[in-house]
Amino acid sequence: MTARCVMVLGTTSGAGKSWLTTALCRHYASRGLKVAPFKAQNMSNNARVVAGGEIGSAQYFQSLAAQAEPEVRMNPLLLKPEADTRSQVVLMGQVNEALSNMPWRGRSLHVWPQIAAALDELMAENDVVVIEGAGSPAEINLHASDIVNMRVALHANARCLLVSDIDRGGAFAHLYGTWALLPAEERLLIHGFVLNKFRGDASLLAPAPQMLQDLTGVPTVATLPMWWQHGLPEEDGVFDDRTRAYGAVSKTVAVIAYPRISNLDEFQPLKNVPGVRLAWARAPADCAGADWIVLPGSKATAADLAWLRTQGLDRAVAAHAAQGGAVLGVCGGLQMLGEALIDTHGIDGNAPGLGLLPLVTQFDLQKTVRHTHTTFGELHGVWSALSGVAAAGYEIHHGQTAQHPAMAAGGNNAREVLADGLGWQNAAGNVLGVYLHGLFEDPRVLQALFGASAPTLETVFNGLADFIETHFEPGVLDQLIAP
């Protein structure tokens, strides 16, 4: 079979490409078609473990929406930012040090053959491939080295939708300007404009959509209303800082949003648990009144720990813990909670920890990337509800963590609550550190901690498909894959 390809492009980052791609995957899969997602290059510190290594979280969710097994061909190139001018390069699921050390523009020639091969294989094996672009296709400074937007569209002869976030303003200018900056052969691939995050009466947009079509020949095929709780996490970062809760707030969870935060998508279920308010914390004031403080994963643990101290958040976390408040560290957050970070290989950096757990982390050249099934041992204090609870998740880390021998000998022990060095609890019972990502995506953990559950992914995916079927112009979604 040779797939028909639909591609979702955006006028900007955050326009809505990822969730619309996910919705299209479920829409076409629900029609009985064999569907696969694809994104040639993803820049994100949100990653998932799949067959063959790791891919961006967005493609992982898109694959599940497509009712397909997630795999590395769906996101052949993943860039994980470690600093403003440096990223770890993951090619076909595996870290590639040579590419990581190569200048940005020099990578294209080296990676395009693998990208094209992965796309060709997916096209040969599926009825539909839904492709996501990155950023904007009209970044004219990057056009010559493009491997993720129009080069992919041309290779796949994809029918493209161009999405703009109308809530930010300037949507018609963004759409027209993006179209106008594309070469003529690439403009021909744009089959529809999509206005996303619209609030109000859509009839008030007239005559702008028709004027835009007169200028470009491209119709506006959907005006999508603002939808705060579609159920998917933001792909690249904390775009939506609004804090909400279903019903009366009974627990506030403050997640520290340091600059290189990773795998923040694992906290999405907390937004949907009744009575739980999720807040992103960048200053001590953001932690005031929180019941829990969570230190999430980090792609640059030592640098984010330095940022934490600069912001005064180290003192806020320590004061919260000293008062008996619950503190949870996940992966990089666990490493921060220890006594020290030791890096003899130049992977992340050396640093003193926060000292809330008697642990030391050493960074290893070998990266741990795996799915993990485990069971909590006996916990006490605020985390006692997890005692004996089975949990499934994933690990992505260079650090290897163990108790500090001198502290253990002195009686300042941490309780190991997950086997194989995956989790520890302090003596007081209120500080917990784990290497396991995805805890809050496990219904057993949510039930134990909150006595509640969040909507299943199947419910979310079906809701996304229903939403676009309602708001796209009749027949458009079928026309996109017509022969």
Side-chain angles (χ1 to χ4, degrees):
M1 61 182 68
T2 300
R4 284 89 76 197
C5 294
V6 178
M7 189 166 187
V8 181
L9 303 166
T11 57
T12 61
S13 293
K17 295 184 295 291
S18 294
W19 82 260
L20 180 53
T21 302
T22 308
L24 289 168
C25 283
R26 175 47 57 99
H27 168 79
Y28 291 123
S30 69
R31 299 300 190 264
L33 299 169
K34 188 177 181 185
V35 182
F38 181 80
K39 184 168 185 175
Q41 174 182 286
N42 195 341
M43 178 175 281
S44 177
N45 278 329
N46 298 326
R48 295 287 171 137
V49 177
V50 301
E54 56 181 310
I55 63 174
S57 292
Q59 283 64 63
Y60 173 84
F61 288 119
Q62 288 161 6
S63 177
L64 298 182
Q67 299 173 340
E69 182 70 24
E71 47 137 320
V72 295
R73 292 183 301 175
M74 296 168 176
N75 177 208
L77 189 65
L78 174 62
L79 308 180
K80 306 185 79 171
E82 297 175 322
D84 288 345
T85 57
R86 185 180 71 255
S87 295
Q88 182 183 69
V89 178
V90 179
L91 180 65
M92 296 303 288
Q94 301 297 315
V95 175
N96 189 304
E97 291 296 340
L99 289 173
S100 298
N101 295 324
M102 189 176 293
W104 177 283
R105 296 178 188 272
R107 294 177 187 149
S108 300
L109 290 175
H110 295 271
V111 299
W112 175 251
Q114 287 104 318
I115 290 172
L119 177 55
D120 288 342
E121 291 169 8
L122 291 176
M123 289 171 61
E125 298 168 12
N126 291 275
D127 299 310
V128 178
V129 175
V130 186
I131 305 170
E132 182 184 344
S136 163
E139 303 291 358
I140 54 179
N141 57 315
L142 302 175
H143 191 270
S145 57
D146 171 44
I147 53 171
V148 64
N149 285 310
M150 300 315 295
R151 187 171 185 178
V152 171
L154 288 167
H155 185 85
N157 192 28
R159 293 175 180 176
C160 301
L161 298 172
L162 181 61
V163 186
S164 186
D165 177 355
I166 196 169
D167 191 51
R168 295 185 178 186
F172 292 105
H174 286 163
L175 291 167
Y176 179 75
T178 301
W179 176 88
L181 285 172
L182 295 177
E185 69 273 15
E186 296 177 4
R187 292 180 189 172
L188 295 176
L189 298 178
I190 306 298
H191 281 248
F193 295 138
V194 176
L195 297 169
N196 189 29
K197 302 182 185 178
F198 179 73
R199 298 190 247 197
D201 182 354
S203 67
L204 297 179
L205 293 172
Q210 184 59 53
M211 294 172 67
L212 186 61
Q213 184 170 349
D214 293 341
L215 288 168
T216 64
V218 179
T220 297
V221 297
T223 300
L224 305 177
M226 180 69 76
W227 190 11
W228 296 116
Q229 294 285 0
H230 54 61
L232 284 181
E234 297 287 357
E235 179 193 8
D236 299 319
V238 188
F239 279 103
D240 181 9
D241 275 350
R242 299 169 180 84
T243 56
R244 296 181 180 79
Y246 286 116
V249 175
S250 59
K251 189 180 297 296
T252 296
V253 179
V255 179
I256 306 295
Y258 19 74
R260 300 301 171 193
I261 186 173
S262 69
N263 299 85
L264 61 87
D265 51 297
E266 65 182 305
F267 303 109
Q268 172 67 33
L270 294 180
K271 295 182 179 180
N272 302 317
V273 174
V276 174
R277 173 178 168 265
L278 179 66
W280 301 104
R282 296 185 179 87
D286 299 330
C287 297
D291 299 286
W292 295 3
I293 294 180
V294 178
L295 280 69
S298 168
K299 192 63 190 71
T301 308
D304 278 344
L305 186 52
W307 174 88
L308 196 91
R309 290 191 163 102
T310 299
Q311 302 300 114
L313 280 161
D314 58 330
R315 296 187 297 274
V317 173
H320 181 80
Q323 294 165 7
V327 176
L328 172 65
V330 180
C331 196
L334 157 65
Q335 297 166 358
M336 293 181 190
L337 291 175
E339 295 291 337
L341 308 176
I342 300 174
D343 183 6
T344 59
H345 301 293
I347 294 169
D348 191 283
N350 300 291
L354 298 176
L356 296 180
L357 288 172
L359 308 172
V360 172
T361 296
Q362 293 192 345
F363 291 101
D364 194 348
L365 285 173
Q366 187 66 34
K367 189 176 188 180
T368 299
V369 180
R370 64 189 177 197
H371 291 288
T372 301
H373 297 266
T374 187
T375 300
F376 281 94
E378 182 183 355
L379 288 88
H380 58 282
V382 296
W383 301 107
S384 60
L386 290 174
S387 297
V389 173
Y394 58 100
E395 298 173 61
I396 304 178
H397 56 92
H398 280 283
Q400 301 297 323
T401 301
Q403 288 212 52
H404 191 287
M407 292 188 171
N412 184 19
N413 291 334
R415 179 192 297 265
E416 189 167 357
V417 295
L418 289 174
D420 302 320
L422 290 179
W424 291 268
Q425 184 182 34
N426 68 339
N430 62 318
V431 178
L432 174 65
V434 298
Y435 263 120
L436 194 65
H437 288 289
L439 276 181
F440 299 119
E441 296 172 340
D442 192 315
R444 297 167 294 187
V445 172
L446 289 181
Q447 188 63 40
L449 290 174
F450 305 107
S453 60
T456 66
L457 282 174
E458 282 298 297
T459 300
V460 171
F461 297 147
N462 289 333
L464 292 172
D466 291 344
F467 185 76
I468 63 170
E469 289 161 14
T470 298
H471 294 290
F472 267 74
E473 292 295 321
V476 167
L477 298 176
D478 291 335
Q479 291 166 13
L480 288 171
I481 62 167

